[in-house]
Amino acid sequence: MKDRIASLLQQTPLIALVQADDTDTAVCTSRALAAGGISIIEVLFRTDAALDCLSAVAREVPEAIAGAGTVLSAAQAEVALDAGAKFIVSPGLDEGVVGVARSEGVPVYPGVCTATELQRAHNLGLDTVKFFPASVAGGVPALKALSSVFRSMRFIPTGGVSPGNLADFLAIPAVLACGGSWLTPASLIRDRDFEGIGRLAREAVSIAEKARQNKK
Ligand code: 3PG
């Protein structure tokens, strides 16, 4: 699964965050994202319905790969994997979370934003981390500086990524993909404007394609 996710992210370097209060919304949102070209979906563990939403997306949206985000503890990682999560994302670096994901052979992307955290991640044998919160942790210049030191590490900037800075983050060679909630704004979810979500996905895919061509 790690290779499959990495190869999908190489094609389309985007991870969409889905935060929903009910399973139908999560499924419709994920379908719209996949139809718009984004198939890696991170279901956020920030609502009471998160676990049900994750199971529903994993079961009902085969064109997407659903993982769990905002996973704070090893116990939460275990229930997420039981619910069908194909990857785990954490806001910070927790060895318990990393251990659970690894023991199941599932990719795990813990959040880091300092050199010390990155060094811990490196020494845990991780090769890919989330850079969070990307824009307030120094944005593109900070990530360039960090990636020049941790040369084998791949990054997923998340937190404040938008159509305005997406291309700049993706232009950094060490960036595997960008993640964010700009693709699933609460206002569009509330209005059940899934066409609008599809449009945002297509816009991001087009920015990513141009950024990749410029990187070559
Ligand atoms: C996350 O969970 O990774 C962050 O909430 C993403 O930040 P964003 O909402 O600014 O995209």
Side-chain angles (χ1 to χ4, degrees), residues 32-45:
L33 289 162
I38 300 178
S39 57
I40 308 290
I41 309 283
E42 179 185 330
V43 179
L44 300 183
F45 272 33

Side-chain angles (χ1 to χ4, degrees), residues 101-215:
R102 276 185 159 168
S103 67
E104 296 297 324
V106 167
V108 56
Y109 308 121
V112 303
C113 72
T114 66
T116 302
E117 292 162 354
L118 256 170
Q119 197 161 328
R120 273 185 62 210
H122 172 80
N123 290 336
L124 286 173
L126 292 162
D127 58 16
T128 307
V129 290
K130 165 171 164 164
F131 177 52
F132 176 78
S135 61
V136 295
V140 167
L143 188 47
K144 280 186 178 163
L146 290 167
S147 63
S148 73
V149 177
F150 296 90
R151 300 174 67 82
S152 59
M153 196 64 88
R154 293 289 161 268
F155 296 85
I156 303 174
T158 311
V161 179
S162 69
N165 60 19
L166 176 60
D168 293 336
F169 277 114
L170 290 175
I172 301 173
V175 168
L176 174 65
C178 285
S181 67
W182 89 92
L183 297 155
T184 52
S187 56
L188 295 191
I189 302 250
R190 190 187 53 234
D191 296 345
R192 297 183 65 78
D193 183 355
F194 302 117
E195 279 184 20
I197 287 172
R199 273 195 299 278
L200 288 177
R202 279 190 289 279
E203 176 198 35
V205 169
S206 148
I207 293 171
E209 275 168 2
K210 286 192 194 111
R212 198 174 43 190
Q213 277 159 15
N214 292 339
K215 211 167 170 174

Side-chain angles (χ1 to χ4, degrees), residues 24 71 76:
D24 182 59
V71 173
Q76 225 175 17

